[in-house]
Amino acid sequence: MRGEDIAVPDAVRALPSVDRLLLDERVAALTRIHPRPLVVDAAREALGDARRRLRAGDGNGVVGSLAEAVAVRLERATRATLRRAINATGVVIHTNLGRAPLSSAALAAMHEAGLGYSNLEYDLEAGSRGSRHEHVAELLRRLSGAEAALVVNNNAAALLLILSALARGREVVISRGELVEIGGGFRIPDVLRQSGAELVEVGTTNRTYVADFEAALSERTALFLRVHSSNFRVIGFTHAPALGALAHAAHARDCILADDLGSGSFLDTTRYGLAHEPLVQESVEAGADLVCFSGDKLLGGPQAGIIVGRADLVARLKQHPLTRALRPDKVTLAGLGATLAHYLAAEPEREVPVWRMIATPPEQIEARARAVIATLGSAGDGFTIEDGRSAVGGGSLPGETLPTRLLAVPASLDADAGAAALRRARPPVVARIEHDRLVFDLRTVLPEEDEILATLLAAHLP
Ligand SMILES: *Cc1c(COP(=O)(O)O)cnc(C)c1O
């Protein structure tokens, strides 16, 4: 490198100007596909990069590949960065990887709704204005047993709306054991403050009784809030009031009981050997006046916040100005409707990817892993199948896991380097490192992705 100290300035000086680079045949061809200002920007950046690399003594071949560098930069600049990824982590509802993959029917409905116009806010019978909130309300009423339903952008929005519309300037009673942070800085006390409601904490971190709530009641109390401790578990000497008893105490004093279920579910998770995740219909049945939950956690649909409950309260929520700011778009409503229909048709385990993944037995996961190894041929030497655990994730069922079978790369392979190489692949693969070994849990890989995964493993692992 040192020997180049003198040569470098010459090489830098020899770089073409932006104008001359634009005359290069291959770069000129790009100006016929892309707007000229974009190509000029890319050329300027490519030259800047070449200059830096030459000065750093890292300029091998930069001059010859300038046109290519412009093309690569243009490609990057004109494409959105959100792209499909293969989730081999075994975490079914992986918030960082986009939570729930959607069912074919949901995707088809979303495509249809996005392709043309729709009756989003148009009453086809009357030929006049209708409400977007009606499209999934009936499905939600049937599934939950509640009188009414409303959909907003996500469950954080649902909670903010409930508190803003029903408790602003008044008191909200909540157990100290439920003043949680859900993640991404979303903390229950902060949401309460934002809504203009006043927080009244009762009980202790580990034990809270109905009597604690009753003692906190005053004419200023607007509602009791129960929040599901989605992402952690308190074990040992604990007590939380039964929802039915809390409802009883609230109703005796004309107070509202709201239940934030977090994930919520319409299907019983104990069928898969998991702990019980609260069911939406159970909360409604127990007497919660409003129940809110996410569309893209265990429901397995698009991002949404769903509120079900008493008709008079839902009507008040609909009239609140925030509802306009939090309303879902037509594509979401279409996908959500199709997802909910799977539950009415009693087919979520077959059709909703989240449930299909949860229900997949380890033997089936192992068979797929073996098929990937077979596809690899001699490149698969040293790969093994190991016992492991998958997680549900998404702030549901903390600490609960499902037995799985992991595809493990040879122990001799540098796990960090392998993981990094796969993250850079197209499509990127996100794997897991366990005991210094790179492993893949095919539970969360879509079966149609198995072959691509094998190809990527062959191409990207040393
Ligand atoms: C996940 C979660 C939320 C937030 O739901 P989003 O749909 O992600 O906005 C709110 N409350 C609880 C208890 C949760 O687990």
Side-chain angles (χ1 to χ4, degrees), residues 99 154-156 182 186 227-228 230 260 262 294 297:
R99 289 202 183 152
N154 52 39
N155 191 30
I182 281 112
F186 183 79
V227 179
H228 181 48
S230 305
D260 173 10
S294 285
K297 290 183 178 173

Side-chain angles (χ1 to χ4, degrees), residues 193-206:
R193 202 168 306 121
Q194 184 64 39
S195 71
E198 206 173 304
L199 171 66
V200 178
E201 310 172 22
V202 297
T204 61
T205 304
N206 58 330

Side-chain angles (χ1 to χ4, degrees), residues 185-196:
F186 183 79
R187 293 174 159 184
I188 296 296
D190 297 339
V191 181
L192 262 153
R193 202 168 306 121
Q194 184 64 39
S195 71

Side-chain angles (χ1 to χ4, degrees), residues 136-394:
V136 295
E138 181 56 29
L139 285 164
L140 284 166
R141 280 193 291 266
R142 272 177 195 275
L143 285 167
S144 68
E147 293 172 1
L150 176 64
V151 177
V152 290
N153 270 325
N154 52 39
N155 191 30
L159 190 57
L160 178 66
L161 176 61
I162 290 171
L163 295 171
S164 304
L166 306 177
R168 177 171 201 84
R170 298 180 66 200
E171 292 178 353
V172 171
V173 186
I174 178 168
S175 160
R176 288 202 169 84
E178 296 176 2
L179 289 171
V180 303
E181 171 172 326
I182 281 112
F186 183 79
R187 293 174 159 184
I188 296 296
D190 297 339
V191 181
L192 262 153
R193 202 168 306 121
Q194 184 64 39
S195 71
E198 206 173 304
L199 171 66
V200 178
E201 310 172 22
V202 297
T204 61
T205 304
N206 58 330
R207 291 177 81 87
T208 303
Y209 302 89
V210 175
D212 295 322
F213 280 84
E214 286 172 328
L217 266 167
S218 75
E219 67 287 351
R220 297 203 57 226
T221 312
L223 57 83
F224 287 174
L225 177 63
R226 191 181 79 152
V227 179
H228 181 48
S229 58
S230 305
N231 47 12
F232 72 103
R233 213 162 51 180
V234 186
I235 55 166
F237 188 57
T238 64
H239 181 82
L243 198 65
L246 212 50
H248 195 75
H251 297 159
R253 297 282 294 272
D254 219 15
C255 162
I256 298 162
L257 173 62
D259 192 14
D260 173 10
L261 287 183
S263 174
S265 179
F266 285 119
L267 268 199
D268 185 1
T269 46
T270 60
R271 287 173 25 181
Y272 308 97
L274 295 164
H276 181 73
E277 182 73 15
L279 299 177
V280 178
Q281 55 274 38
E282 282 173 355
S283 272
V284 172
E285 173 78 31
D289 301 294
L290 289 173
V291 181
C292 63
F293 55 100
S294 285
D296 56 353
K297 290 183 178 173
L298 277 172
L299 187 69
Q303 181 188 301
I306 300 165
I307 303 169
V308 299
R310 260 167 56 189
D312 61 323
L313 298 178
V314 171
R316 279 170 68 190
L317 297 182
K318 280 185 188 166
Q319 283 156 15
H320 193 274
L322 257 186
T323 301
R324 173 63 179 78
L326 304 176
R327 74 183 188 186
D329 82 314
K330 61 188 179 216
V331 175
T332 298
L333 286 170
L336 183 61
T339 306
L340 293 169
H342 291 311
Y343 289 87
L344 272 185
E347 58 184 17
E349 227 184 60
R350 201 177 65 231
E351 299 295 334
V352 178
V354 162
W355 288 104
R356 202 161 55 214
M357 289 172 179
I358 289 174
T360 309
E363 308 80 64
Q364 213 167 310
I365 296 168
E366 167 164 350
R368 286 172 48 199
R370 291 207 182 280
V372 169
I373 296 179
T375 310
L376 285 171
S378 62
D381 287 349
F383 279 68
T384 56
I385 308 285
E386 309 286 338
D387 276 329
R389 311 292 300 183
S390 316
V392 177

Side-chain angles (χ1 to χ4, degrees), residues 407-409 413 415 418-419 422 431-433 436-440 461:
L407 170 62
V409 307
L413 189 136
L422 286 168
R432 190 154 49 133
I433 296 177
D436 289 330
R437 252 180 115 176
L438 188 60
V439 297
F440 306 88
L461 291 182

Side-chain angles (χ1 to χ4, degrees), residues 18 21-22 27 30 34-49 66-78:
V18 172
L21 182 55
L22 289 169
V27 179
L30 292 171
H34 299 283
R36 190 176 167 86
L38 273 185
V39 184
V40 172
D41 277 352
R44 194 169 287 133
E45 286 169 18
L47 283 166
D49 185 51
L66 275 171
E68 156 127 27
V70 176
V72 167
R73 272 166 193 281
L74 263 176
E75 212 253 315
R76 254 188 241 150
T78 54

